[in-house]
Amino acid sequence: MQTNKKLKQLIYRYRHAWVLLYGLIYMPWFCYLEKHRFSHYYLIHSPLDDYIPFVEYFIIPYLLWFLFIAITMGYFFFTDRKGFYQLTAFLFTGMTIFLIICTLFPNELNLRPHTFANDNICTRLVARLYRTDTPTNVLPSIHVYNSIGAAIAIGHSEALKKHRGIQCIAYMLCGLIILSTMFLKQHSVTDVIAAVALAFIVYPLVYIAQTKRAPKLSQQPINT
């Protein structure tokens, strides 16, 4: 009886986990886009891409993206329900728009180097990344968009405003991740600009509009 009560309390406490069901929509759709070969792809290229060198060391912040997003989502999931809803609303809106764009306008890159000047652990990691991640479905860059979303959520957190060091690290990591997408030739400058533009469009819808509707609504800790 006591176990059932605790289970019910746990389910109620983390009832906001339902939004993670979005993964059941995103992953099958994304995998379909990755595996399906469309008859035509729009080649994404910016003249600026030709001036950006390949730097294999950027694989480090590029891979740190996965931890950055997971830790940020985990933090808000366990500590700030309102912040979690805003973060996931921002991320999932952009990710859905990304899926729609790539479905209607299949796109790809032709920027990756065929050989590497150096042979080290970083180039080997890049080679493995190239083998597992196709150069298709790149606009807008989800690496860039989600990094901006995580940085925005951290910047809006009242609790984290007391820890400026954490916020500064998050902003710097966000910047390095954005740069890594271009220096690894994973994305064009065009993809990055599109992701930033999308973030500018979605941001006021998720954060500013919500603040205007409920100006006195404070952070909602999970223990409420």
Side-chain angles (χ1 to χ4, degrees):
M1 192 70 178
Q2 190 68 21
T3 302
N4 290 338
K5 184 179 179 180
K6 288 183 178 180
L7 181 60
K8 289 179 180 178
Q9 290 176 340
L10 189 66
I11 293 173
Y12 180 78
R13 186 178 185 184
Y14 297 113
R15 59 193 182 278
H16 49 292
W18 70 269
V19 300
L20 299 178
L21 293 174
Y22 173 76
L24 299 178
I25 298 174
Y26 180 81
M27 287 309 299
W29 194 345
F30 177 77
C31 290
Y32 166 78
L33 292 174
E34 282 287 285
K35 295 178 180 179
H36 183 75
R37 293 303 301 173
F38 293 90
S39 58
H40 175 73
Y41 283 85
Y42 293 89
L43 184 64
I44 307 299
H45 183 268
S46 167
L48 294 176
D49 295 331
D50 302 328
Y51 294 96
I52 300 175
F54 170 81
V55 182
E56 69 267 23
Y57 303 108
F58 273 98
I59 189 64
I60 297 172
Y62 187 88
L63 294 179
L64 283 176
W65 175 84
F66 296 96
L67 276 176
F68 182 43
I69 301 302
I71 291 174
T72 302
M73 289 191 67
Y75 171 79
F76 283 98
F77 178 81
F78 289 109
T79 65
D80 179 3
R81 187 180 302 122
K82 177 175 177 278
F84 177 75
Y85 276 134
Q86 289 179 315
L87 172 61
T88 52
F90 184 94
L91 298 186
F92 297 168
T93 298
M95 290 161 69
T96 302
I97 293 173
F98 158 78
L99 291 173
I100 294 172
I101 290 174
C102 291
T103 301
L104 299 178
F105 304 100
N107 50 79
E108 66 178 353
L109 292 176
N110 187 22
L111 298 175
R112 294 177 174 181
H114 298 292
T115 58
F116 301 120
N118 303 316
D119 181 17
N120 52 48
I121 188 170
C122 288
T123 53
R124 291 170 199 160
L125 286 172
V126 174
R128 183 164 185 173
L129 173 66
Y130 285 177
R131 287 195 299 269
T132 57
D133 186 22
T134 69
T136 59
N137 310 311
V138 294
L139 187 146
S141 168
I142 290 300
H143 245 70
V144 171
Y145 179 84
N146 282 4
S147 296
I148 294 173
I152 289 173
I154 290 171
H156 272 265
S157 171
E158 291 297 327
L160 292 179
K161 285 179 181 178
K162 301 173 185 177
H163 304 279
R164 293 295 184 182
I166 293 176
Q167 290 188 322
C168 288
I169 291 172
Y171 299 151
M172 288 189 290
L173 182 56
C174 175
L176 287 171
I177 291 171
I178 291 173
L179 291 174
S180 75
T181 64
M182 295 178 284
F183 280 97
L184 291 180
K185 301 301 179 179
Q186 277 289 91
H187 285 283
S188 165
V189 172
T190 304
D191 305 329
V192 174
I193 293 174
V196 172
L198 181 59
F200 268 101
I201 294 170
V202 177
Y203 170 75
L205 301 177
V206 173
Y207 287 92
I208 297 178
Q210 289 294 327
T211 302
K212 288 182 178 179
R213 276 199 291 265
K216 295 182 180 179
L217 185 62
S218 61
Q219 301 289 87
Q220 296 182 24
I222 300 305
N223 59 5
T224 58

